[in-house]
Amino acid sequence: MDVRTLCLGILTFGDATGYEIKKAFQDRLGMFYDASYGSIYPALNKLTTDGLVSCRTKSQSKRPDKKIYSITLDGQLTFLKEMEGTPAPEKFKSETLATLMFAHLLPASHIAKVIDDLIESYQSNIEILSGECDMKQALTDRFLCGYGIAVKSAAIKYMQENRHLIEAEALLADHAAE
Amino acid sequence: MDVRTLCLGILTFGDATGYEIKKAFQDRLGMFYDASYGSIYPALNKLTTDGLVSCRTKSQSKRPDKKIYSITLDGQLTFLKEMEGTPAPEKFKSETLATLMFAHLLPASHIAKVIDDLIESYQSNIEILSGECDMKQALTDRFLCGYGIAVKSAAIKYMQENRHLIEAEALLADHAAE
DNA sequence: AGTTACATATATCAATTCGATATATATCGG
DNA sequence: CCGATATATATCGAATTGATATATGTAACT
């Protein structure tokens, strides 16, 4: 599954411009899949060439022409076939947790700040997701929002209950450095 | 923070070959940061050029020469300075959850399988992490293993309790298709 | 004895993707 | 009136992945 396939998926919900597709990635998929213009625009070009989407241009005065993409029948079939494959393993990248790996080399104050920031960002995620969760009527959206909330909540709880472990390591190093 | 910096970090634990550094990424950082040979070997070359690591070659009969890298004093200072910056936001990519976004278009049997597989992979993660957690003496390692276990456990619990929501959507679609 | 799979060890390459940047304008709050 | 945000396109260098190539040892299985 690549950006191309997910662009097709987003277009099953209705026609959209590249700009709107980018927004859909952020708003609907952002939690577990993101894509940049640098991958979306080339993807749409390729999809158009392959006949999986069609594109009509709406000229606008004083703005770049709007290119509205629609999924074709061929595109729908390709999308469904693609989605029937086995999804790749999940990938998670956290510079914060990588930083904590080296807590014994860093100032305790920095470790504390990094953890504070992470907890705050999780809390902000949860607030946004809670708001969305209430608005959405579709079960799918609710399920996915709920997933995000459940996981982030568990992360916060663990961090708060166990941060002293890693902060102790950093403190030890601080004393050794003196 | 990039692969270069994390190679330096891994070398603070002791000298290593590129192959061993790759293993360290998998074994120690794998949960929250991974890197491939295609990024590790170029990173080590650059670090050597910049004088942040030194490299001695150990010739081995019937094997490629082993290149053992050591972090230099300059490398240690550079690493510490790098780690004091603010870590980038976390990134998570899940093709499985992206698939679920389109549950209303897919066969219920496929949705069920995809969820089963995800739960199984989480369970396997937890088992591996539990084993490691017991072995490790360092608080840092325990903290990070514990984090992984806490988060994956919450994910499993949520999935098991709420999967019926999304499976219902897929079933609806199945009936509509008939 | 043979074979299959995995571990050691290096390295490169096409393809993908990110993050930043460029270009223009509208709109809205302070 | 100004600065921030939104609309809308597109490209480019740099980083990264995942696959592949090359060799061999070693352990387990048949």
Side-chain angles (χ1 to χ4, degrees):
Chain A
M1 185 191 309
D2 52 9
V3 174
R4 241 188 326 275
T5 308
L6 287 173
C7 285
L8 282 180
I10 288 167
L11 288 173
T12 64
F13 293 115
D15 297 354
T17 65
Y19 182 76
E20 286 165 342
I21 289 173
K22 167 78 169 119
K23 266 199 302 173
F25 266 104
Q26 287 170 339
D27 300 346
R28 303 177 69 97
L29 291 163
M31 229 196 348
F32 39 83
Y33 207 109
D34 207 1
S36 60
Y37 288 126
S39 57
I40 291 172
Y41 282 114
L44 288 171
N45 288 334
K46 181 105 202 303
L47 287 170
T48 307
T49 307
D50 295 351
L52 304 182
V53 306
S54 65
C55 171
R56 68 206 136 93
T57 304
K58 202 173 190 174
S59 64
Q60 302 189 120
S61 58
K62 322 224 176 176
R63 288 253 180 127
D65 284 0
K66 204 186 250 191
K67 289 186 186 172
I68 302 167
Y69 295 93
S70 313
I71 189 167
T72 63
L73 186 61
D74 202 1
Q76 287 173 42
L77 297 175
T78 303
F79 175 67
L80 289 179
K81 209 190 290 171
E82 195 77 39
M83 293 307 274
E84 265 165 40
T86 303
E90 292 183 339
K91 252 182 269 176
F92 176 58
K93 183 167 287 198
S94 171
E95 294 193 359
T96 300
L97 297 178
T99 299
L100 296 185
M101 188 90 226
F102 304 101
H104 62 289
L105 299 176
L106 300 169
S109 59
H110 183 60
I111 295 300
K113 191 191 176 309
V114 152
I115 295 176
D116 285 342
D117 289 352
L118 188 64
I119 291 175
E120 257 178 64
S121 86
Y122 286 165
Q123 264 158 353
S124 144
N125 287 160
I126 289 173
E127 268 171 55
I128 292 167
L129 286 171
S130 300
E132 278 175 21
C133 200
D134 292 341
M135 302 249 301
K136 311 253 167 146
Q137 57 316 15
L139 288 179
T140 301
D141 290 334
R142 290 199 173 208
F143 174 84
L144 293 172
C145 284
Y147 178 89
I149 293 171
V151 168
K152 303 273 178 179
S153 300
I156 291 177
K157 184 158 177 285
Y158 180 83
M159 282 279 170
Q160 284 171 338
E161 285 170 3
N162 296 281
R163 60 185 295 174
H164 65 275
L165 291 174
I166 207 141
E167 287 177 315
E169 292 276 289
L171 268 177
L172 266 173
D174 282 10
H175 291 310
E178 271 165 28
Chain B
M1 188 189 308
D2 51 9
V3 175
R4 238 186 331 273
T5 308
L6 287 173
C7 285
L8 281 180
I10 288 167
L11 288 173
T12 65
F13 293 115
D15 297 353
T17 66
Y19 181 76
E20 286 165 341
I21 288 173
K22 168 79 169 123
K23 266 199 301 172
F25 266 104
Q26 287 170 337
D27 299 346
R28 302 177 69 97
L29 290 163
M31 226 195 348
F32 40 83
Y33 207 109
D34 207 2
S36 59
Y37 288 126
S39 57
I40 290 171
Y41 281 115
L44 288 170
N45 288 335
K46 182 105 202 304
L47 288 170
T48 308
T49 306
D50 295 350
L52 304 182
V53 305
S54 65
C55 172
R56 68 207 136 92
T57 303
K58 202 172 189 175
S59 64
Q60 302 188 119
S61 59
K62 321 222 176 179
R63 289 254 181 126
D65 284 359
K66 205 187 251 191
K67 289 186 188 173
I68 302 167
Y69 294 93
S70 314
I71 189 166
T72 63
L73 186 60
D74 202 2
Q76 286 172 43
L77 297 175
T78 303
F79 175 67
L80 289 179
K81 208 190 293 173
E82 195 76 38
M83 293 307 274
E84 266 165 38
T86 303
E90 293 182 338
K91 252 180 272 174
F92 175 59
K93 184 168 285 199
S94 171
E95 293 193 359
T96 300
L97 296 179
T99 299
L100 297 185
M101 188 89 225
F102 305 101
H104 62 289
L105 299 175
L106 300 169
S109 60
H110 183 60
I111 296 299
K113 189 190 177 309
V114 153
I115 295 176
D116 285 342
D117 289 351
L118 188 65
I119 291 175
E120 257 179 63
S121 85
Y122 286 165
Q123 266 158 353
S124 145
N125 287 159
I126 290 174
E127 267 171 55
I128 292 167
L129 286 171
S130 299
E132 279 175 19
C133 199
D134 292 339
M135 303 249 300
K136 309 254 169 145
Q137 56 317 15
L139 289 179
T140 302
D141 291 333
R142 288 199 172 206
F143 174 84
L144 292 172
C145 284
Y147 178 87
I149 293 170
V151 168
K152 304 274 179 182
S153 301
I156 291 177
K157 185 158 176 282
Y158 181 83
M159 282 280 172
Q160 284 172 338
E161 285 171 2
N162 296 281
R163 60 185 295 173
H164 66 275
L165 291 175
I166 208 142
E167 287 177 313
E169 292 276 289
L171 268 177
L172 266 172
D174 283 10
H175 292 308
E178 269 164 27

